[in-house]
Amino acid sequence: NAGVMQNPRHLVRRRGQEARLRCSPMKGHSHVYWYRQLPEEGLKFMVYLQKENIIDESGMPKERFSAEFPKEGPSILRIQQVVRGDSAAYFCASSPRDTTNYGYTFGSGTRLTVV
Amino acid sequence: KNQVEQSPQSLIILEGKNCTLQCNYTVSPFSNLRWYKQDTGRGPVSLTIMTFSENTKSNGRYTATLDADTKQSSLHITASQLSDSASYICVVSMANQAGTALIFGKGTTLSVSS
């Protein structure tokens, strides 16, 4: 079991470009969560998805950010027209079921730098 | 407001010494409390998870305590090793919720020196 796989590990984008971050959950996990971590800050929830469904996107900015978890393939966090403030570490976690009773497994994150 | 506060913000100790990290929370309704270890450049890794009825839980040299009445938790590290240098994050889970259920503290950065 390879764990939660995120790629790329590091991503550099110029202002105005698009960033695509990928997350493959652990085998058997159908729940995916995205978090953002700014320097010196705690992880902040962005979005919770199950296969083909967005369950909770209350933590995601309403503009430029979108997420999907298709029937086949990894979950994608997409940031359009990136700005310097989007520079952060983005972590994905997966779980087999409801998070209140089961611990998450985190990926190693994608560090996005906007120049 | 649901919050998790950790102290100290950072800590430096000598190898072999013990240390205790603190976590205070104001999260309701409470489901469980977790401690994670996050190495630099890596994702958080779970150390312990405690429900309302559990007062203490150990994982090797790590021992977590929970006082649900005062809404406080601590993580005690015994006989520290250089590999313990990391950020330790307290996370409180809210009951009956999914996506936004986990409230993260900012972490305590521990540096163990030889």
Side-chain angles (χ1 to χ4, degrees):
Chain A
N1 193 334
V4 178
M5 303 300 294
Q6 289 189 250
N7 65 81
R9 289 295 308 277
H10 300 275
L11 182 62
V12 179
R13 284 288 178 267
R14 296 187 184 278
R15 280 178 295 169
Q17 292 184 319
E18 178 179 287
R20 280 183 179 240
L21 288 61
R22 288 176 289 277
C23 169
S24 296
M26 283 185 69
K27 186 176 181 180
H29 286 193
S30 58
H31 300 238
V32 166
Y33 314 80
W34 286 93
Y35 290 84
R36 177 164 60 178
Q37 186 175 34
L38 295 169
E40 310 301 324
E41 294 290 325
L43 277 78
K44 294 289 194 289
F45 167 78
M46 297 183 74
V47 61
Y48 163 39
L49 310 102
Q50 295 180 25
K51 285 284 187 181
E52 299 184 280
N53 284 305
I54 296 175
I55 307 302
D56 184 348
E57 56 182 347
S58 59
M60 200 146 72
K62 297 217 177 338
E63 297 181 352
R64 302 189 298 108
F65 286 72
S66 62
E68 62 176 7
F69 189 15
K71 186 177 181 180
E72 301 291 338
S75 175
I76 306 288
L77 179 67
R78 182 183 178 203
I79 311 172
Q80 295 178 291
Q81 299 175 331
V82 295
V83 301
R84 288 235 170 93
D86 296 333
S87 295
Y90 291 84
F91 289 95
C92 165
S94 72
S95 69
R97 58 190 75 187
D98 184 83
T99 63
T100 58
N101 296 317
Y102 292 87
Y104 283 149
T105 301
F106 281 90
S108 292
T110 292
R111 274 139 197 88
L112 172 66
T113 302
V114 179
V115 297
Chain B
K1 184 178 180 183
N2 293 306
Q3 286 185 315
V4 176
E5 301 288 341
Q6 291 187 244
S7 62
Q9 185 175 354
S10 61
L11 183 62
I12 302 173
I13 61 173
L14 290 176
E15 187 178 12
K17 297 297 185 183
N18 304 334
C19 66
T20 300
L21 314 180
Q22 302 291 342
C23 172
N24 297 334
Y25 62 92
T26 56
V27 178
S28 181
F30 175 88
S31 177
N32 56 65
L33 185 145
R34 314 166 189 211
W35 282 94
Y36 283 87
K37 178 187 180 187
Q38 185 176 20
D39 292 309
T40 301
R42 310 294 296 181
V45 174
S46 179
L47 295 175
T48 62
I49 178 170
M50 291 181 290
T51 60
F52 186 89
S53 59
E54 295 176 293
N55 299 120
T56 185
K57 184 162 282 189
S58 293
N59 178 359
R61 295 180 295 102
Y62 302 102
T63 300
T65 65
L66 174 64
D67 185 334
D69 291 330
T70 62
K71 298 187 176 181
Q72 296 180 327
S73 175
S74 66
L75 180 69
H76 187 73
I77 304 175
T78 304
S80 61
Q81 300 176 357
L82 296 177
S83 59
D84 292 332
S85 296
S87 178
Y88 291 85
I89 305 171
C90 176
V91 185
V92 179
S93 175
M94 296 175 66
N96 304 320
Q97 294 194 35
T100 56
L102 299 192
I103 310 297
F104 288 76
K106 293 184 179 181
T108 292
T109 300
L110 175 64
S111 298
V112 180
S113 59
S114 56

